[in-house]
Amino acid sequence: MIRKLLAVGAMVFFSTLVAYAEPGDDLSREVGSLIQKAEKFFFSGNLPEAGDQLNQVAVKLGELRAQNPGHKSIISLDSRFKRLKQKYEAKGAPASPGAAEKPAAAAVPAAGGPELKPAAVQTLDRANKELDAAEASLKQARESMNSHDFNKFGSRLYKAEGHLSKAKDLLERAERSYKVEADHPQARPCHQRFAALGQEIGKTKKEGELRKGQALASKQEAEGNIAALDEKWLPRIQEFIRPGAAAYIDYPVTHDPQRLAEQDRTVEKARGLLAEYEKEVPQGGAGPRLEKTANDLRSAIENYHRQRNAGFGDVRRVVEDELGEWERRFGENRNWREDSGHSLFIVRPERFQRLEREIEKLKAAAPGEAASYSGRLAGLREENRGWVEKRTAWENRSRPFPAAKMTSGALEKNMADLLTDRGWKVEKLVIVDKDWWVLKGEYRYIHGAALSRDGDGPFWSQVSFRQIQTLAGYGPTEFWEAGKKIRLP
């Protein structure tokens, strides 16, 4: 019934407008259009544009009052303008200019309509407040819809519909109790707002239901895709990270080259599988279980290589320290002179062999580093040959018989007797150390020089003797070792 009355009232109203056009009608329509634009900008969050439109409304309202102070639409337009202006300023936006006229009293009769009772005006005001609340809830519902929060969307849209229903009840009460026709100048804007807002709520409800359905379909599709990915990838990845599995990535066995090589091949297979997975499954495309499993595989590979490198750390240090020491000592050899007072540094063959074995251990873990170390070792071995030849020639040079630095007839006779017992023909023996050298807790030793001769003539050799430490002191003197034959000049 109310719809029929509204429709009939609208027809009568518009026919009346056609028949009785009055000054200011064009300006009135322009002001109404500007207010609608301002409302649109305001509720979409575009406050700068809304403020600009409100400025224009204020100017046009002033022009309308100047042209026709009693125009029938001034009261409703001014009411809409002030409500929107209050909302706009409540948002913290700069105050926009208002119409420079005195507000019209609600009970003053509007041109073209009978005077309304105060209770009727109050009812219309309450209806407008419900429409304001409906607009606010509708805006919140749209925000929830755009953020795909359909639970909040439903509740906020329900609130908007509730406020719209209350506004409808108030409009019907105004018509029923106070005989306020829908085309009354003071009631018409409220009825127009009610109709427009009802359309907006209905439109938003349909759009929300459509989006909710699309989101549900997308979710179901995504869940299906996740299930398919889980089925394909979980068993393959878990083979590398599940304890007890045949391809489980375990702690690297660095002391067993063969076993380590097998583990390396397993880890390379895991890296290949992970690369295949990352190529097929985009970031964020897997479910939480599969994503965690893939991350566990990444961690297992990283931990394996970290532990593997740490396991060979000691070997690296030994090789690097030894090679570095030899390179430094060979550098010192280049500044050596025959009168330096010390011999040339050389490396014994067994030390080269030991370092080769250490480098061999690195081949499984770091073939590049092992190759680099092998290259350095080969260079040092070649250089060492030259130093060995040079030191041998230096040690075999002719030298005069050394002078004594310590005199002890008993010790000298003891030394000579020990050499004679071993087949030496000792012509002269001197002690070339000032005292014994003591290796605490084991023995003490001393060097001498023994003059002898063979078929090529006289020669001398450095001879060494030692005494083993006992609880009572030191034991008897023992022959320890003899050096090369050194010819006299």
Side-chain angles (χ1 to χ4, degrees), residues 58 61-62 65 74 78 81-82 98-104:
L61 267 176
R65 282 191 173 85
I74 287 178
D78 184 65
F81 167 75
K82 289 179 178 177
E101 75 292 339
K102 296 180 180 179

Side-chain angles (χ1 to χ4, degrees), residues 259-297:
R259 174 64 178 142
L260 183 64
E262 293 175 0
Q263 288 181 306
D264 285 347
R265 287 191 290 272
T266 297
V267 172
E268 282 306 306
K269 289 180 182 178
R271 287 170 65 90
L273 178 67
L274 191 58
E276 182 184 348
Y277 165 81
E278 290 173 345
K279 183 177 180 181
E280 178 178 329
V281 183
Q283 187 173 7
R289 185 183 177 194
L290 179 56
E291 186 63 33
K292 181 182 182 302
T293 304
N295 286 334
D296 289 345
L297 179 58

Side-chain angles (χ1 to χ4, degrees), residues 105-417:
V108 174
E115 180 180 349
L116 295 181
K117 296 179 180 180
V121 174
Q122 185 179 16
T123 301
L124 292 177
D125 286 341
R126 289 174 60 194
N128 273 315
K129 289 179 180 179
E130 292 295 337
L131 293 176
D132 290 343
E135 286 175 349
S137 296
L138 178 60
K139 180 185 178 183
Q140 292 176 345
R142 284 172 175 160
E143 291 172 352
S144 299
M145 177 180 66
N146 291 333
S147 62
H148 297 90
D149 187 346
F150 294 104
N151 289 330
K152 285 186 178 180
F153 168 76
S155 63
R156 289 170 174 177
L157 190 68
Y158 179 79
K159 286 178 65 177
E161 290 176 328
H163 288 299
L164 187 69
S165 177
K166 291 179 181 178
K168 178 183 177 183
D169 292 341
L170 290 166
L171 288 175
E172 289 178 345
R173 181 186 302 172
E175 181 180 3
R176 183 179 59 255
S177 301
Y178 307 112
K179 309 305 180 184
V180 180
E181 298 294 336
D183 63 343
H184 189 282
Q186 287 177 266
R188 184 168 57 252
C190 190
H191 281 279
Q192 290 173 343
R193 285 187 69 197
F194 171 81
L197 192 54
Q199 291 179 354
E200 286 297 317
I201 290 176
K203 179 181 177 182
T204 302
K205 186 173 185 178
K206 289 181 180 178
E207 184 179 356
E209 290 173 350
L210 177 62
R211 289 199 191 183
K212 183 177 180 180
Q214 293 172 341
L216 180 60
S218 298
K219 181 181 178 182
Q220 291 172 344
E221 182 181 2
E223 289 174 349
N225 292 338
I226 287 173
L229 290 173
D230 285 353
E231 183 178 0
K232 177 179 180 179
W233 287 103
L234 280 174
R236 298 174 67 187
I237 295 176
Q238 287 170 343
E239 276 300 301
F240 294 99
I241 60 175
R242 186 179 67 247
Y248 177 65
I249 299 175
D250 204 349
Y251 188 90
V253 184
T254 55
H255 63 276
D256 185 344
Q258 182 176 355
R259 174 64 178 142
L260 183 64
E262 293 175 0
Q263 288 181 306
D264 285 347
R265 287 191 290 272
T266 297
V267 172
E268 282 306 306
K269 289 180 182 178
R271 287 170 65 90
L273 178 67
L274 191 58
E276 182 184 348
Y277 165 81
E278 290 173 345
K279 183 177 180 181
E280 178 178 329
V281 183
Q283 187 173 7
R289 185 183 177 194
L290 179 56
E291 186 63 33
K292 181 182 182 302
T293 304
N295 286 334
D296 289 345
L297 179 58
R298 292 187 186 96
S299 297
I301 293 172
E302 291 173 2
N303 290 336
Y304 176 85
H305 285 295
R306 188 182 304 112
Q307 293 164 355
R308 192 180 190 280
N309 290 333
F312 286 97
D314 292 339
V315 177
R316 283 190 179 92
R317 282 190 293 273
V318 168
V319 173
E320 186 62 48
D321 290 349
E322 196 81 0
L323 291 175
E325 174 66 12
W326 296 353
E327 289 165 346
R328 184 184 66 81
R329 297 294 298 274
F330 283 171
E332 293 175 352
N333 281 356
R334 298 184 188 102
N335 299 321
W336 179 85
R337 299 186 310 276
E338 290 190 357
D339 60 351
S340 295
H342 61 82
S343 182
L344 287 163
F345 171 76
I346 64 170
V347 180
R348 296 188 303 275
E350 58 269 21
R351 294 183 69 186
F352 278 106
Q353 294 167 4
R354 183 182 65 80
L355 204 59
E356 282 178 336
R357 290 192 295 270
E358 295 298 316
I359 293 174
E360 188 68 25
K361 295 178 184 178
L362 281 175
K363 286 185 177 179
E369 287 183 69
S372 175
Y373 286 143
S374 295
R376 289 170 65 184
L377 186 65
L380 290 171
R381 178 183 272 119
E382 182 64 27
E383 185 176 358
N384 189 63
R385 291 191 184 98
W387 296 122
V388 169
E389 293 174 0
K390 190 169 184 178
R391 190 170 94 162
T392 300
W394 179 75
E395 289 179 344
N396 292 337
R397 75 192 186 282
S398 299
R399 282 172 281 171
F401 190 74
K405 294 184 179 180
M406 172 182 171
T407 302
S408 173
L411 182 57
E412 290 169 3
K413 183 178 182 306
N414 192 4
M415 291 178 175
D417 290 342

